[in-house]
Amino acid sequence: MGYLIFVTLLWAVSFNLIGAHLAGQVDSYFAVLTRVLLAAAVFLPLTRWRGVEPRFMAGVTLVGALQFGVTYICLYLSFNLLSVAEILLFTVLTPLHVTLIDDALERRFNPWALLAATVAVVGAGLIRYDQLSSGFLGGFLLMQLANFTFAAGQVGYRHLARRFPSAVPLHRRFGYFFLGALAVVLPAWLAFGDPTRLPTTDLQWAVLLWMGVLATAVGQFCWNKGATQVDAGTLAVMNNLSVPVGLVLNLLFWDSKADLILLTIGGGLILASLRINAIGRTEIPTV
């Protein structure tokens, strides 16, 4: 779980950087494209092209198209329709997507994992419930598409890594992920991007560099590697820990306002959901 905790902190910082320095200022498609290109520059030189199961390569390429390509285009576009608080609120359904997709792939129903994910959703929802804006419906639909594709990607990668074990380490078999992302993001930029809204300050370029190398290259790999080391219920819950962490950072460094009582209660529920999931794994058989 160490990988997931590390990435939760990394993405909590990154989320605030997007809201503060990129959203509404830099073209969304360009921002996502830049992240993919920088991450690909990190991983493609490390990638093995021989001696790797072709079905694994194709699967990871599809995961990249879903988990990064579609997800982050929807996320960046949603910043044009929603406040940061609303986006955080609408991400709380991701654990349910994770749990239900994993159960569908395994052809089973695990009530404890679903309960843990539901408690995590309630906790995160308490933290970020706020008055919704007039454009919330379009933003909500974008965020639910992002939630679904992000969940499908990480669950899919978890299954691929277990189905196709290899002596080749995972970091040498991850570059295909960014090729899949590029296959979605590059056509989107060419079709819908606005070349008049490129970064104009050194700070914006620095944020994009952070997002590409750390949040995308390091973050996506560590998150997916971490997903292979935990069960689906824990993975579902960890998707929502970024909500309280992101809000705490927002309070400390970006002077955002939040209800500290709800933050405490909601964060406690998310932590409790980890315990619920642990009880289900050790004491109650999956049905």
Side-chain angles (χ1 to χ4, degrees), residues 29 65 73 75 253 263 277:
Y29 297 101
I73 286 176
L75 175 63
F253 300 107
L263 180 62
N277 182 64

Side-chain angles (χ1 to χ4, degrees), residues 3 34 58 68 90 94 101 111 116 120 124 134-135 175 193 195 212 214 222 264 285:
Y3 284 104
T34 302
F68 192 89
F90 292 155
T94 303
I101 291 171
S134 58
L214 293 176
C222 288
T264 302

